[in-house]
Amino acid sequence: MTNQESDLNIVVIDTDTGQSGSIEAWVERFAQLWSQGAECRDEFVTLLSRRVRLVAPGLAPTAGRDAGLNAFRRTFDALPDLTAAVISWAARGNVVFLELRFRATIGGRTIEWPAVDSFLFEGGEAVERVIHFDRTPLRQAYFGSVRGLLQLWKLRRIREKK
């Protein structure tokens, strides 16, 4: 893990309490929350600015922390054992890149897929998150069994309720 040529000396680690610290501490908290998954689903947004924008493949972007919280809740409702491990990270300027490995049960089987998250920071707060990953393993898991199709149906129903 590195912090090369970064402008992120002090960042807000918890936007509810105003706690600040190093970018290393922010990444450690991010990694801890993702390792616990659904247990911490409501805490993810405390890493983010109240005006955060979240972008993910196949989903409409969200704007604001409330919309982000709803997105995290819907995701964990559909994938209750979803977790991620931070493999590596780097900071450059006001952007943090995190290499992740996600894991979840879809259609009765555990799958894993790599991803890269990029966070844009302004004023020490994470104001944008864009995640990049190949959706193919997820599609194969959803369409590979009746259980997977039911789970996908649930995920889509949950998204439509918003």
Side-chain angles (χ1 to χ4, degrees):
M1 295 188 188
T2 63
N3 182 11
Q4 299 174 355
E5 300 179 31
S6 173
D7 297 332
L8 301 171
N9 297 321
I10 300 293
V11 297
V12 180
I13 297 171
D14 186 324
T15 56
D16 281 350
T17 66
Q19 177 189 359
S20 60
S22 67
I23 191 61
E24 291 86 355
W26 188 93
V27 170
E28 286 175 20
R29 184 156 182 262
F30 178 92
Q32 178 217 5
L33 291 174
W34 268 113
S35 72
Q36 296 177 30
E39 295 175 32
C40 299
R41 71 182 194 171
D42 291 353
E43 293 180 52
F44 281 98
V45 295
T46 64
L47 288 165
L48 309 172
S49 168
R50 295 198 182 283
R51 58 190 175 94
V52 70
R53 180 173 182 266
L54 303 174
V55 180
L59 302 175
T62 64
R65 237 175 63 162
D66 290 342
L69 178 59
N70 287 333
F72 280 118
R73 286 178 176 167
R74 289 190 311 269
T75 299
F76 282 114
D77 284 347
L79 302 168
D81 66 340
L82 176 66
T83 59
V86 174
I87 307 303
S88 65
W89 69 276
R92 182 168 296 263
N94 61 342
V95 178
V96 175
F97 300 94
L98 296 108
E99 176 189 9
L100 306 167
R101 178 154 284 308
F102 282 92
R103 179 183 180 108
T105 303
I106 299 176
R109 67 183 186 110
T110 301
I111 67 161
E112 294 185 1
W113 64 98
V116 173
D117 251 340
S118 62
F119 287 89
L120 173 67
F121 282 77
E122 291 178 359
E125 292 187 353
V127 296
E128 182 178 71
R129 173 209 184 211
V130 179
I131 187 165
H132 308 272
F133 61 88
D134 179 3
R135 296 185 304 171
T136 303
L138 299 169
R139 287 181 183 155
Q140 290 173 338
Y142 284 126
F143 291 106
S145 71
V146 173
R147 284 169 50 172
L149 286 171
L150 291 172
Q151 198 171 359
L152 179 61
W153 177 78
K154 178 182 178 184
L155 181 63
R156 288 187 174 164
R157 270 190 58 136
I158 290 167
R159 288 189 181 139
E160 290 169 2
K161 287 182 180 181
K162 178 154 184 335

